[in-house]
Structure formats: C-alpha cells, structure tokens
Amino acid sequence: MSETQQEMIGSNEVAAFLRRHPRFLNEFPDLALGLVVPREEGRATSLASYQLDVLRDKNRELNKRLLELFQTAQENERLTVRTHQLTLALMRAHGQAETLTSMVASLTEDFQSELVRVVLYSPVQGLDGAEWLHVTPRNAPELVPFDEFIENGEPLCGRLQQDKLDLLFGARVHEVQSCALLPLGTRGLVAIGSHDPNRFYPGMGTLFLRLMGDTLIAALDRCDAHDA
C-alpha cells in the first residue's frame, strides 16, 4: 500500500471519528486552535467563523428549496381551482356539443392555452364549422403517427413530430413550440399547443392533464346515457 493511500485512509478514519464524536474538540481546545481551515480570497479564517459560514450556506440553500416548494404548492393550488371550475362547467353542459365547447373555452380562458384542437373519430351534431375541431375516423391514415399514443392512453407532453403538428394545427402549426396531448379513450384526443417551448416538456407532471381528460370522457359518457 502506498504512502498516499495510507494518508487517505487515515484521513477518512479521522473524519469518521470526528463525525461520531462532534464534541471531541471540547476536550482538546488547543487542537482546535491549531487546525487549518479552508481559506477564502487568501485570508485565514477561524474555525468558528468557518462553521458559521457553512451554516449560512446551508440555510440559504434550505430557504431556496423552501421557496421552490412554496411556489410549486401555489401553482398546484391554482391548477386545482381551475380543474374544479372545469369540472363544474362540464357538469352544467347539456349535450356533447356544449360539453366539448365548454372544455375548449375553459382551456383557452382559464388555463391560458394559446391553441386548442379536438380530434374526434366521429362527428358531433352542433359543431359544424368549429375551428378547433377535426373529425377523422380512427382508421384514417392521418392518425397512424398517433397509434402509440392512443394505445398507451396516457397524456403526452413535449415537441411533436411535424406530421402530427400539421394534422392538429394546420396553417397555425408554425406557432406551436410545445404541445400536450390528452387521450379521450374511444372518442379521440385533445391537443393543447403553446408558443412557449418550455411550457410542455417530456417528464413533466401530467396529473392535472389526466384529470381533465378523464373528466371530459365522463361528461361525454353522461351525455350518451342521457340521449339513450
């Protein structure tokens, strides 16, 4: 074993001992006076001052993390309120056309979504001419690029391939820098496009998107039961 390895092992052992006995220096105050602590800008600092600086750094880091958690909690609270408002709006809607229109209005106004598109596999009476609606049969070639997403049945966030964007957003495709997709089971899907490339990204939380999609499916199912 080399001398360097011996020194490193000895240093680790000393560090481990001091961690197990944090009051060790109380018994040997002269040792504390002789310790060499890290220097800052060429100036020596006392052990007490160094410990205080370390504690301050840790405190700043904890405050930063606490602020991030607080901001996340605030954003989640806002999303919860908006999702609740969306649920109420869908419960008050009568018929599939009004339900889908309420969904698009809520996404646009309450969630500040720049572009919303709905793809349905079969037409819905009363939505003729709706700018945000595409009616495309499930077996249409245009939907082949969405097969994996449809089969997975989970919300998807990020930047879509060009063929998908072209189908969803048509002439306004150049405005979309990021996108979220919500599956609607056997009915179709909802696409939310954003001008912000960082608004929707792979790996982001999709809980609220899933809740909105499930709520819309339940509302449409209610309309089916009512019409039957």
Side-chain angles (χ1 to χ4, degrees), residues 58-102:
K58 289 183 177 179
N59 187 55
R60 281 192 289 267
E61 180 63 25
L62 288 174
N63 284 335
K64 179 182 177 182
R65 292 175 60 186
L66 182 60
L67 178 60
E68 291 173 350
L69 289 173
F70 178 70
Q71 291 173 337
T72 300
Q74 283 188 314
E75 179 61 22
N76 286 339
E77 182 179 358
R78 286 192 290 267
L79 286 173
T80 300
V81 171
R82 292 169 184 168
T83 303
H84 177 64
Q85 292 173 337
L86 169 63
T87 302
L88 294 177
L90 296 182
M91 290 176 63
R92 297 188 183 105
H94 299 285
Q96 293 187 5
E98 186 176 340
T99 298
L100 290 166
T101 301
S102 296

Side-chain angles (χ1 to χ4, degrees), residues 120-186:
L120 296 179
Y121 303 146
S122 57
V124 171
Q125 187 176 1
L127 290 179
D128 298 337
E131 177 192 8
W132 43 265
L133 178 64
H134 295 287
V135 179
T136 307
R138 173 64 185 91
N139 57 359
E142 295 87 346
L143 291 181
V144 170
F146 295 91
D147 281 349
E148 183 177 353
F149 161 73
I150 294 171
E151 292 174 4
N152 187 38
E154 293 291 333
L156 178 67
C157 297
R159 298 186 180 184
L160 299 182
Q161 296 174 345
Q162 192 62 44
D163 52 352
K164 297 178 181 178
L165 291 173
D166 289 338
L167 172 66
L168 295 171
F169 301 102
R172 301 186 64 180
V173 65
H174 62 282
E175 301 178 34
V176 181
Q177 299 301 315
S178 64
C179 185
L181 297 181
L182 284 68
L184 297 181
T186 59

Side-chain angles (χ1 to χ4, degrees), residues 101-128:
T101 301
S102 296
M103 178 72 171
V104 173
S106 179
L107 290 174
T108 303
E109 299 169 9
D110 299 330
F111 291 88
Q112 287 82 51
S113 302
E114 292 97 342
L115 292 168
V116 179
R117 295 292 183 267
V118 178
V119 176
L120 296 179
Y121 303 146
S122 57
V124 171
Q125 187 176 1
L127 290 179
D128 298 337

